Amino acid sequence: MSYRPYQQILRRKSRQIRVGKVLVGGDAPVSVQTMTNTPTEDAAATIAQIRRAELAGVDIVRVSCPDEASTAALAEIVREVNVPVVADIHFHYRRALEAAEAGAACLRINPGNIGSKERVKEVVKAACDHGCSIRIGVNAGSLERHLLEKYGEPNPEALVESALWHAAHLQELDFHEFKISVKASDVFLAVAAYQQLAEACDHPLHIGITEAGGKRTGTVKSSIGLGSLLWAGIGDTLRVSLSAEPEEEVHVGWDILKSLGIRHRGVKIISCPSCARQGFNVIKTVEALEERLAHIETPLTLSIIGCVVNGPGEALMTDIGVTGGGNGRHMVYHAGRTDHTVQGERMVDHIVELVEKKAAEIAAAPASQAAE
């Protein structure tokens, strides 16, 4: 897919690591993560939730491992899903040892609460023995006490100092398969910390605005924060943290990447906000199409515009387009050109048919012609 000069994003150069079968950093695609909210010891419920996230397009899934029952269930979970599983470890370093043995692809440890250097050394040994990578997960809400005393409050400098200190410790142990996150719920703090960290090292970065809020407010905060970082070329893997189901986090993550042209998956709908000029109910049409086209993974673009003011122009830049017309008949465009009209009552069914056909054509095309 080609871009105009003003659409180019120069990505920060970072080392590459592996999280199971997923490459992170370097020239690997920015991966989308989420986290389960089921009790991990309930393997069936957790597996079912991960499978829903897989359908949404997730690349990596994290599960919390607060106790032995959770790590005991991890082996079954890892075996039954198709994406790498990250074990989220806080306070109890032994859970990390158990998770590594159970098949976790990555261990997420929080330096602020994981314990002494000796405990970290044991975690690193377990990661080496079982082929795990590690995420150093620094969080503004759980910084080390000495850094809070030094800086007086969580700030970008404190987050970065914590991250680099622990990264240096892993490197001293000759362990290099790690990525770093420096998350905060405050967008300004998180973005500033990631910007400083990106300048200070070449470690792959996991980006996110932690505890962003509910589906709407969290989406807005995450889009501002993650969008700013990704636009600047910062970020190798991401999670959108919402008080919502994991698949919603995945959808938002993909939408952020698609909006910036970083990755492409499924149907990208360009639609107008609607007004009195609309020839059909744009809002309900788009809602119906989003639901009925959610199964399509092939990247393509669809414009749904209620009237002729911007409809033809938007259709020039999309694979398929629809513009509202008079007398209940609406113009359908293929590759920017007018093609035929469709009656309003069967428009949604007709668009679904066209999109499914186009997706099949793109998927069948030679790889050199297909979109990335």
Side-chain angles (χ1 to χ4, degrees), residues 7 47-48 57 64 144 147 158 163 186 201 209 237 262 269 274 307 309 323 351 367 371:
Q7 295 173 307
I47 291 165
S64 181
E144 294 95 323
L147 290 174
D186 178 87
C201 70
I209 307 300
T237 183
I262 294 173
I269 298 179
S274 79
C307 74
V309 172
T323 296
I351 294 172

Side-chain angles (χ1 to χ4, degrees), residues 107-338:
L107 306 173
R108 189 272 190 178
I109 59 174
N110 187 324
N113 63 38
I114 196 63
S116 66
K117 275 190 173 185
E118 282 303 312
R119 290 183 175 181
V120 174
K121 186 175 181 179
E122 289 194 53
V123 173
V124 167
K125 184 180 185 302
C128 290
D129 290 345
H130 298 283
C132 299
S133 57
I134 286 176
R135 169 154 75 94
I136 298 172
V138 178
N139 195 300
S142 54
L143 274 171
E144 294 95 323
R145 184 177 301 172
H146 75 275
L147 290 174
L148 290 175
E149 292 173 352
K150 176 179 178 179
Y151 291 101
E153 65 177 0
N155 62 16
E157 291 75 19
L159 290 169
V160 172
E161 182 173 331
S162 175
L164 293 179
W165 189 88
H166 290 283
H169 185 209
L170 294 188
Q171 290 174 309
E172 288 170 7
L173 296 170
D174 198 26
F175 188 85
H176 307 279
E177 284 288 304
F178 66 88
K179 56 186 182 290
I180 303 176
S181 63
V182 282
K183 293 187 180 182
S185 58
D186 178 87
V187 174
F188 295 97
L189 174 54
V191 170
Y194 277 113
Q195 289 171 335
Q196 289 187 24
L197 185 59
E199 289 287 331
C201 70
D202 68 348
H203 305 307
L205 301 183
H206 170 97
I207 61 174
I209 307 300
T210 193
E211 298 152 359
K215 182 177 177 180
R216 184 184 66 197
T217 57
T219 294
V220 172
K221 284 181 68 174
S222 296
S223 298
I224 293 169
L226 300 185
S228 299
L229 292 169
L230 292 166
W231 202 332
I234 298 170
D236 301 293
T237 183
L238 65 85
R239 183 209 174 177
V240 176
S241 298
L242 304 177
S243 299
E245 292 305 304
E247 56 266 36
E248 293 297 334
E249 296 186 346
V250 178
H251 290 312
V252 175
W254 270 102
D255 284 340
I256 292 172
L257 294 176
K258 286 159 65 174
S259 295
L260 291 169
I262 294 173
R263 285 188 73 180
H264 307 278
R265 181 186 189 275
V267 182
K268 181 179 179 180
I269 298 179
I270 292 90
S271 60
C272 69
S274 79
C275 69
R277 290 190 302 267
Q278 66 181 353
F280 56 89
N281 190 317
V282 173
I283 294 173
K284 288 188 176 181
T285 299
V286 171
E287 286 177 350
L289 289 171
E290 285 180 335
E291 181 177 348
R292 293 186 58 181
L293 298 175
H295 65 288
I296 294 179
E297 298 183 8
T298 304
L300 58 85
T301 51
L302 169 66
S303 57
I304 306 294
I305 310 297
C307 74
V308 296
V309 172
N310 292 321
E314 292 291 353
L316 286 172
M317 297 180 283
T318 55
D319 295 304
I320 298 170
V322 179
T323 296
N327 300 318
R329 296 196 69 83
H330 315 299
M331 181 57 66
V332 178
Y333 300 79
H334 274 219
R337 297 185 177 184
T338 56

Side-chain angles (χ1 to χ4, degrees), residues 51-68:
R51 286 177 176 165
R52 291 195 295 273
E54 289 175 347
L55 289 174
V58 78
D59 296 304
I60 300 169
V61 173
R62 180 158 44 113
V63 302
S64 181
C65 293
D67 49 37
E68 288 188 69

Side-chain angles (χ1 to χ4, degrees), residues 19 50 60-63 74 77-78 81 83-87 103-106:
V19 179
I50 293 175
I60 300 169
V61 173
R62 180 158 44 113
V63 302
L74 196 59
I77 293 168
V78 168
V81 301
V83 293
V85 175
V86 178
C106 179

